Amino acid sequence: MIRSIFILTIPGDIIIEKHYGGYLNRSVVDYFIQEVGRAGSLKELPPVIPSTRYFLANINVNDLFFLAPIQGDYPPLLVIEFLYRVAEVFKDYFKEVSEDSLKNNFTTVYNLLDELMDSGMPFMTEYNILREMIHPPSLIDMIPRAGLGLQLPEGALTNIPWRRQGVKYTNNEIFFDIYEEVDAIIDANGLMVSSQIAGRVEVVSQLTGFPDLSLRFSNPRMIDDCSFHPCVRYSRWENERNISFIPPDGSFTLMKYRIFQQIQPPIYCKPTITFDQYGGKVTVMVGPKACQGKLIEDVVITIPFPQEITSTSLTSQFGTVSYDEISRVCTWKIGKIPKDKTPMLSGTVSLAQGSVIPETRPTCIVQFRINLFSASGLKVDSLNLVNEPYKPYKGVRFITESGKFQARS
């Protein structure tokens, strides 16, 4: 079971602590902070840290640690997913997850933690039900009064707890935003070493009554791994590759998926970086590739140079170039890539006097965003509604973004 939940800052100051199985000594937090120091960086910190009596499941959100000591035989991934869900609920209520937002809403935070978990087990995590039970903070909350609803939410009494009863809209509409993040490694010759796509389907539903929806992809077999919102009938997906669901009211994540097939990158990045005893030469070219003529936006190229580099002289005819002398990182912000010209970064770098020539060449980190484009080629075939007499307005939009996209020099 989950004994407690601690929310603390990176230095170790406890902001929130909630106990579910009796009081737990704060020494577990001290042990956790020691392990954070030993890890060296947050990226190297294990998501589950064993101690003498507990397993410490943890996540980091906006420089805040969410820590859950686990006792006994308990699925660690369930705990980590629950902690992320707690952070999402806080963001839904307070618009941001920060030290100030939690301190300014202590009462609401503890009321939410009471409902999110019962006796160490995740209990009520649906936004719609929580909002009926615990009112979001507002100016009226400055007046001393109870923050809890006076009646049990109607949805809690049905087998569809994620949707409240009596939902009515003048204009019935539902929108699907399908985000795909491309993780890829490209070698110095421009060939793909490895690639995968992590996607998620974000939905905004404003539909009257209890609509029963059926979403079909034209090529669902390309999806290798997926997870769904509880509203999805998983058996229908297993048997028919059909996403059948009664949606919650408002915004929610319908599904997440991964695709492991090799793809053509929508953008190319060709870095040429060489070093000699005096310094080095840098040339980086960026342009569209397999993007079906779509505009590539928010392009940023990051080049982490070795510590032997003392200064740089890099220029480009597109965007802005900056260099941080402390971290030795060059950032080239291009923005939108023009279709008729190829942005290029060029220049020289200087080595510290007497230093050894670096043996490894930097790897460029590429960030980008393409609207109305699917990197995987996934397509929506149809969206049907039953159980209601109206015909809703339906919208689908694909957005491709960079994940861990690297180009070797």
Side-chain angles (χ1 to χ4, degrees), residues 319-348:
T320 59
V321 182
S322 61
Y323 177 71
D324 188 344
E325 296 183 354
I326 298 177
S327 62
R328 306 290 199 275
V329 174
C330 173
T331 304
W332 179 22
K333 296 182 179 180
I334 303 174
K336 299 179 181 179
I337 294 183
K339 297 181 180 180
D340 55 342
K341 296 182 180 180
T342 301
M344 184 173 68
L345 174 72
S346 60
T348 59

Side-chain angles (χ1 to χ4, degrees), residues 389-409:
Y390 55 82
K391 291 184 178 181
Y393 177 81
K394 297 169 285 188
V396 178
R397 178 177 62 172
F398 281 89
I399 301 171
T400 294
E401 299 174 325
S402 59
K404 297 178 181 178
F405 198 100
Q406 301 176 350
R408 296 173 179 174
S409 60

Side-chain angles (χ1 to χ4, degrees), residues 221-251:
R221 297 292 175 180
M222 70 188 309
I223 297 177
D224 297 306
D225 187 18
C226 56
S227 62
F228 296 98
H229 188 277
C231 69
V232 176
R233 302 178 181 97
Y234 189 68
S235 60
R236 293 281 299 276
W237 170 260
E238 282 287 291
N239 298 328
E240 307 171 17
R241 285 297 188 263
N242 177 20
I243 304 176
S244 176
F245 63 102
I246 297 177
D249 183 43
S251 303

